[in-house]
Amino acid sequence: QVQLVESGGVLVQSGGSLRLSCAASGRTSSTYAMGWFRQAPGKEREYVAGISGAGGRTYYSDSVKGRFTISSDNAKNAVYLEMISLKSEDTAVYYCAADPRTFVAATLRGTYWGQGTQVTVSS
C-alpha cells in the first residue's frame, strides 16, 4: 500500500501562484510514477501533470502547460506542483496519485490516491 497526503491548497487571487505538496509513504513509493489530477464541481477528473518514477519524463495537459511545473524529491518521497498565473478555471480539488509503473508519465493511471486539497482562485 502507498499512502498519499496532499497539502498546500488555499484561496488565491487570479494571477497568483501556489505550490502543492504530496507526501508519499509505504512500500516502494519512491519508484512510482506520480501525478496530479484535479476535479472541479460538476466536471470529470482531469489529469494535469505527471512525472515518471525516475524523474526523466513529465507530462502536462494543454490547460496547464507553461504555467504548472511538477517535480519530485525521491529522498523525501514527495512530489510538488508549482502553479503560476492561476486562473479561475484552475479552481478544483487537486489529487495526488501514484502509479506503480515507474517509467510512465503521459499514460499515468491513479492506482493510489490522496484525499485531495482544495484550490480556489478568485477573480
Side-chain angles (χ1 to χ4, degrees):
Q1 286 289 340
V2 174
Q3 293 78 43
L4 304 172
V5 179
E6 303 97 333
S7 62
V10 293
L11 171 65
V12 62
Q13 288 189 333
S14 179
S17 59
L18 197 58
R19 186 197 201 204
L20 303 183
S21 300
C22 174
S25 60
R27 184 182 178 192
T28 65
S29 61
S30 62
T31 65
Y32 285 24
M34 302 293 292
W36 288 95
F37 291 72
R38 68 185 182 186
Q39 188 165 22
K43 295 187 178 181
E44 294 187 355
R45 190 169 292 189
E46 176 190 11
Y47 177 36
V48 296
I51 187 166
S52 61
R57 297 177 181 173
T58 57
Y59 163 83
Y60 297 96
S61 67
D62 288 343
S63 61
V64 307
K65 197 173 295 181
R67 300 187 299 120
F68 290 12
T69 303
I70 189 170
S71 61
S72 61
D73 184 337
N74 285 344
K76 295 183 179 180
N77 276 355
V79 64
Y80 308 99
L81 188 66
E82 299 276 357
M83 306 184 290
I84 64 171
S85 301
L86 284 162
K87 306 173 183 179
S88 57
E89 50 262 46
D90 294 318
T91 294
V93 178
Y94 283 71
Y95 297 92
C96 178
D99 187 327
R101 299 175 299 161
T102 301
F103 298 105
V104 302
T107 59
L108 185 146
R109 296 191 300 265
T111 300
Y112 302 99
W113 294 90
Q115 82 289 348
T117 187
Q118 176 71 48
V119 172
T120 303
V121 183
S122 63
S123 56

